[in-house]
Amino acid sequence: MKRSRFFLFALLLVLTLSACAAEFDGSRTGNDREFIMEYKVLNRADSQDLTARAGDTIHGELTVDSGALSVSVCKEGEASLYERAALSASETFDLPVEAGGTYTVTVAGERAAGGVRFEVVPGQGSN
């Protein structure tokens, strides 16, 4: 009897602990000019489409407090312009936009904590 109670308790404990793994705990905002996330937990992928004109710059700030973060930025229908996998350190970058269009930013975390910020910075002469 004690053995079956122990087994049942152990099974319930395993099921309870495995159900506690959150996919996302944080905040997210995005539109066609920016994408901002701050999180205590990121265990999923998320993406945002940004609209940029030729001469603009896509500015990215990646903050990795813990875990690993993967990021890609690609123009619709083309290969990635920026891609990093399993980042464990913070990073900042600027991507000059040569051809206007829609750029998709995708971030994926694995037990990640930190944040990301992407912004389309107008080039000179842009309104």
Side-chain angles (χ1 to χ4, degrees):
M1 184 73 166
K2 285 185 179 183
R3 182 181 249 175
S4 57
R5 281 187 183 173
F6 174 76
F7 179 74
L8 181 60
F9 174 76
L11 181 63
L12 286 174
L13 181 63
V14 169
L15 291 174
T16 302
L17 291 177
S18 65
C20 292
E23 285 189 358
F24 181 73
D25 179 12
S27 63
R28 180 204 193 283
T29 185
N31 57 38
D32 65 341
R33 304 294 288 176
E34 68 181 2
F35 176 35
I36 302 168
M37 293 177 75
E38 293 182 10
Y39 41 83
K40 293 178 186 174
V41 176
L42 179 64
N43 280 319
R44 67 174 190 188
D46 201 344
S47 63
Q48 178 71 42
D49 289 340
L50 303 177
T51 304
R53 297 180 182 165
D56 289 350
T57 300
I58 298 175
H59 176 74
E61 297 175 11
L62 313 173
T63 304
V64 182
D65 295 331
S66 66
L69 184 70
S70 298
V71 178
S72 73
V73 179
C74 61
K75 187 170 188 295
E76 191 173 38
E78 296 182 12
S80 290
L81 300 170
Y82 178 90
E83 191 166 15
R84 298 289 187 271
L87 283 171
S88 59
S90 299
E91 192 171 303
T92 300
F93 63 90
D94 289 305
L95 294 175
V97 175
E98 294 180 11
T102 301
Y103 290 80
T104 301
V105 176
T106 303
V107 297
E110 186 175 327
R111 294 186 302 269
V116 297
R117 179 183 185 89
F118 297 90
E119 179 183 8
V120 177
V121 179
Q124 289 187 346
S126 295
N127 293 334

